[in-house]
Amino acid sequence: MDKILVGLKRVVDYNVRVRVKSDGSGVETDGVKMSINPFDEIALEEALRIKERGDANEVIVVSIGNNDAQQQLRTGLAMGADRAILVETANHVDSLTGARVFKALIDRENPDLVILGKQAIDDDNSQTGQMLAALWNRPQATFASNLSIVGQKATVTREVDVGLEIVEVDLPAVITVDLRMNEPRYVKLPDIMKAKKKPLDQVLLGDLNIEEATGIKQVVFEPPSERQKGAMVDDVAGLVAALKDKGLI
Amino acid sequence: MLASDNGQSTMNFALSDEQQMIVDTVRSFVENELYPHEAEVERTGKVSPELGQSIAAKCKEIGFFAANMPEEFGGGGLNHLDFTLLERELGRASMALSVYFGRPSGILVACEGEQRERYLLPAIAGEKFDALAMSEPDAGSDVRGMKCNAREDGSDWVVNGSKHFISHADIADFVIVFVATGEEETSRGPKKKISCFLVDRGTPGFEIRTGYESVSHRGYHNSILNFDNCRLPGTQMLGEPHRGFELANRWLRATRLTVATMSVGRARRVLDLAVPYCVERKQFGQSIGKFQGISFKLADMITEIDAADWLTLSAAWRVDRDLPCNREIASAKLYATEMLARVTDEALQIFGGMGLMSDLPLERFWRDARVERIWDGTSEIQRHIISRELLRPLES
């Protein structure tokens, strides 16, 4: 195949304890370590392995957000992506808008495969890949833990509630990846220096002629309520009595 | 390679994207490849050769081996500032493990002719490990007082004497050794002339013996070197005859930056353990961080860590620009190592009795911190360098 498109979302690093802003308008990001969404890093690793096996010519990484997301794209380039596209916007991007942006880029780039993380660890929606497949009218295989490509077909192992499901999809397709698919590589020192010279195109979201979704409004952010202190019971009988007492059984 | 020249401004405290990637990569390497083996190193006091080689191999694979050495010889070509950032992250981990994250002595760049093929290039390629020998039982801070000597015999040199406290000589394939090669008269009395030699493990008359048990850096061993009529061809000399002291002085700057920045990295790791503990640990019905006696400790710790960090980074920045930097490097080494002593001591205090137990890594950081104020120039020697630079211009 020719091209693989990979999404890299800039999110609060998974090691950071997330705090809600005091005015409830969002999550604190000032002075907070930001990283590539871990599932997206796995998506990129998979795309790079496909390319290294000789099954693809080019890996393009895409991010949607403000100028700071360049940092995540540069990291993607240092990992081995060939070029990057930053779709700039200061607005919050919900799943549908994200999917529309990817659809607009697909129309420009004609990729054979789009690999995304199964969800972003900030809003945990797990929707963009599925919406994109619908907009594009192409097959989707979500929560992938293994992927092999032969000709114009991809065989995908999916992690589902009852176990592993193996599906075959025709390319082009959208694949979203799960945690156990691979272990992303370390960035190599010489590649860090080369990343600076790789192309990074910037496009304004407004210039893509897409409709920004307005169906979802973020009203207020609140930290989850603190967990109630638990109580120790002596034995099973005590547990049953406590559950009955609370009307739970 | 100019990862640090990211801004237009001459003073820019932000990391470039490239520097951030270096920091992130080394941090994640340290957390994934080194931390998991630390408990074992503490328990056994050693690193198995297989583990050491596998760390070195992984480091090579990601192109970070010999990151400090020039690109023209196959190194990573990082400048001092970028390399200082790298070593800051490396400093978080056990020295016994991080020593395999290959950083050959910068002094090897002085190799000439066939020395390049025999020492410089294999050191950069990770085929040969080096160690460096300066200290002697009777010549510590007073380096020039060294007794280990070489006398010229035809085109050879014959070395006699001993060295001690030689870090990681136990895993070295060759040692860079400084010895006295005569004496000269100066206006301030007689002064020893020093020369530098490259000595292969296994050279007749050269013995590498197990050193002392140290309270700091378990598993990172020191050795004793003995020379008994050890005959070396003249081609084993590194640099000019009798100019070894100048060579050492130039190189010692880099090792002092290394000690300073690794101290900063370790102090940050200690703080990363102490802060959440102050929230989780409850006494008298509340988090101990609510008590001013504890919270002010944290305030002092972060303030001192940041101060040491910037002092060290700015000294490295000066080296890269060929600005005078001896005093600045001495200040960084002095302050960062003394800061580490205070930070590890206070962190241990915050953890109370548990801090002393080997179930937690606090006692290890506290022990490890002790050597930093001694090796690569004691705090007293650093204060001497700093004060001399202040006073000398006014004294003549």
Side-chain angles (χ1 to χ4, degrees), chain A residues 15 17 33 70-71 74-75 78 186-190 192-193 195-196, chain B residues 1 3 17-18 20-21 24-25 28-29 32-33 61-64 67:
Chain A
N15 279 313
R17 197 179 291 187
K33 180 165 171 51
Q70 275 203 35
Q71 199 191 332
R74 287 281 171 216
T75 303
Y186 294 109
V187 170
K188 294 187 171 75
L189 182 58
I192 289 177
M193 301 307 167
K196 209 175 189 169
Chain B
M1 201 168 289
D17 284 348
E18 288 75 22
Q20 190 63 54
M21 279 190 255
D24 289 347
T25 305
S28 119
F29 189 95
N32 296 319
E33 312 293 341
E61 200 180 297
I62 61 171
F64 272 85

Side-chain angles (χ1 to χ4, degrees), chain B residues 333-343 373 379 383:
Chain B
K333 201 270 176 187
L334 169 68
Y335 188 76
T337 57
E338 302 212 332
M339 169 282 290
L340 180 64
R342 289 188 291 269
V343 165
R373 286 186 279 159
S379 283
R383 285 191 170 91

Side-chain angles (χ1 to χ4, degrees), chain A residues 64 88-94 96-98 100-101 204-207 209-216:
Chain A
I64 313 169
E88 279 193 85
T89 175
N91 298 340
H92 172 257
V93 179
D94 67 14
L96 183 56
T97 307
R100 285 175 179 162
V101 167
L204 293 176
L205 192 146
D207 291 345
N209 292 322
I210 57 163
E211 189 191 342
E212 281 191 60
T214 53
I216 295 172

Side-chain angles (χ1 to χ4, degrees), chain B residues 360-380:
Chain B
L360 295 180
L362 276 301
E363 58 91 22
R364 160 158 70 96
F365 297 130
W366 180 65
R367 277 190 287 109
D368 288 350
R370 192 61 189 88
V371 73
E372 312 295 350
R373 286 186 279 159
I374 295 173
W375 65 10
D376 290 284
T378 61
S379 283
E380 291 69 29

Side-chain angles (χ1 to χ4, degrees), chain A residues 78-91:
Chain A
M79 278 178 73
D82 299 287
R83 61 189 170 95
I85 303 171
L86 173 61
V87 179
E88 279 193 85
T89 175
N91 298 340

Side-chain angles (χ1 to χ4, degrees), chain A residues 109-245:
Chain A
E109 300 284 349
N110 291 313
D112 303 280
L113 184 59
V114 177
I115 312 184
L116 305 174
K118 69 165 182 174
Q119 68 196 75
I121 61 167
D122 51 3
D123 54 25
D124 273 339
N125 279 330
S126 189
Q127 293 173 332
T128 306
Q130 295 87 330
M131 288 174 168
L132 174 61
L135 292 175
W136 193 15
N137 200 22
R138 294 299 311 170
Q140 58 175 299
T142 53
F143 315 132
S145 63
N146 194 37
L147 166 63
S148 67
I149 291 177
V150 178
Q152 280 302 105
K153 280 190 195 305
T155 307
V156 177
T157 306
R158 305 182 62 226
E159 295 194 351
V160 292
D161 287 348
V162 290
L164 299 177
E165 179 189 39
I166 297 172
V167 297
E168 197 177 80
V169 291
D170 291 327
L171 299 179
V174 178
I175 291 170
T176 75
V177 304
D178 214 325
L179 201 60
R180 279 161 291 276
M181 179 161 237
N182 59 46
E183 261 185 60
R185 65 194 63 194
Y186 294 109
V187 170
K188 294 187 171 75
L189 182 58
D191 294 340
I192 289 177
M193 301 307 167
K194 280 183 213 151
K196 209 175 189 169
K197 296 185 187 108
K198 289 184 178 175
L200 191 160
D201 294 332
Q202 285 171 264
V203 191
L204 293 176
L205 192 146
D207 291 345
L208 289 178
N209 292 322
I210 57 163
E211 189 191 342
E212 281 191 60
T214 53
I216 295 172
K217 285 197 170 54
Q218 296 184 337
V219 183
V220 68
F221 283 75
E222 281 175 5
S225 55
E226 268 194 51
R227 195 164 153 247
Q228 297 288 310
K229 203 175 173 189
M232 296 298 287
V233 292
D234 293 328
D235 48 24
V236 177
L239 176 64
V240 173
L243 290 173
K244 273 192 179 151
D245 195 40

Side-chain angles (χ1 to χ4, degrees), chain B residues 252-265:
Chain B
L252 280 177
R253 304 191 312 194
T255 68
R256 286 172 183 169
L257 276 177
T258 294
V259 176
T261 197
M262 291 183 95
S263 295
V264 171

